Amino acid sequence: MDLDIIAIVVSIIAIVVSVITFVSQKQQDKKLNTINLEAEYFSDIYKEHLIKNIPNARRYIAFVQGKLSGTQKMIDVLKAIQQDSYYYCYKEPEFYEKMQKKVQDFEDYLSSNTGHSYTGEQQTEVLLKIKIYIEEIYDCICNHLVGN
C-alpha cells in the first residue's frame, strides 16, 4: 500500500513537472519567435542603409576648393533613415528618439558646414567629425539589434 501511494505521488510530480516544462517551453518559443521577427524587421529597415546607402553617400563628401561639398546624398540618406525608423516610434520610443537625435544632429552638422571654406587642418577635423557621426549611428543601430 505504501508503494501505491509513492507511485501515485511520483506520477503526480511527473505530471506537474511535464506541465511546467511544456508551459515554460511555449513561453520560450514565443519569446524567441518575437525576437526573430523583430530582428527581421530591423534588418528590413536598416540593412540597406548600413551596408550600401551610408557608405555610398559618404564617398561623395569631399572638399572642393577648400569648401565642404557632396553632402546632399548623405542628407537624403539620413532623411530616409528617419522616415524608415517610424516603426520604432510606436514600438520602441526610447530607441526611436535616440536614433532620431543622432541622425538629426548629423544632418544639422552637414547642413551647417556645407559650402564653408576650411583650411587643411580644419578639413581633417571636419572629416573626422563626419566619421564619428557615422560611427555613432552604426553603434546606435547595432547595439539595439544585439540588445545593448
Side-chain angles (χ1 to χ4, degrees):
M1 188 162 242
D2 287 338
L3 290 177
D4 290 341
I5 293 174
I6 292 173
I8 291 172
V9 170
V10 169
S11 297
I12 292 172
I13 291 173
I15 290 171
V16 170
V17 168
S18 295
V19 169
I20 291 171
T21 302
F22 175 76
V23 170
S24 175
Q25 187 63 45
K26 286 296 256 180
Q27 289 174 340
Q28 287 177 344
D29 288 347
K30 184 178 179 182
K31 185 176 180 181
L32 184 59
N33 287 339
T34 301
I35 290 169
N36 288 336
L37 185 61
E38 285 296 319
E40 188 176 326
Y41 289 162
F42 205 79
S43 177
D44 288 346
I45 292 170
Y46 294 114
K47 182 179 179 181
E48 191 162 336
H49 292 305
L50 295 176
I51 294 172
K52 288 183 180 180
N53 299 344
I54 292 174
N56 288 339
R58 172 57 188 93
R59 290 186 353 217
Y60 291 95
I61 298 174
F63 285 92
V64 177
Q65 297 177 344
K67 293 183 179 185
L68 183 62
S69 65
T71 59
Q72 189 57 50
K73 287 188 185 295
M74 183 64 78
I75 290 170
D76 292 344
V77 168
L78 295 172
K79 287 180 181 180
I81 290 171
Q82 286 178 312
Q83 181 68 34
D84 293 347
S85 296
Y86 279 128
Y87 166 80
Y88 289 99
C89 177
Y90 306 103
K91 184 68 177 163
E92 296 182 47
E94 187 177 311
F95 167 70
Y96 173 77
E97 291 299 324
K98 185 177 179 182
M99 184 66 179
Q100 291 296 323
K101 176 155 180 32
K102 290 191 179 301
V103 169
Q104 189 62 54
D105 288 349
F106 186 26
E107 185 180 336
D108 292 346
Y109 182 80
L110 291 174
S111 296
S112 66
N113 288 288
T114 299
H116 290 193
S117 293
Y118 294 94
T119 63
E121 189 174 306
Q122 291 171 325
Q123 291 175 11
T124 302
E125 289 175 16
V126 169
L127 292 176
L128 179 61
K129 186 72 172 165
I130 288 170
K131 180 179 182 285
I132 290 169
Y133 275 116
I134 292 171
E135 287 172 351
E136 288 177 351
I137 290 170
Y138 275 77
D139 287 345
C140 181
I141 292 171
C142 293
N143 286 339
H144 184 75
L145 179 61
V146 297
N148 291 339

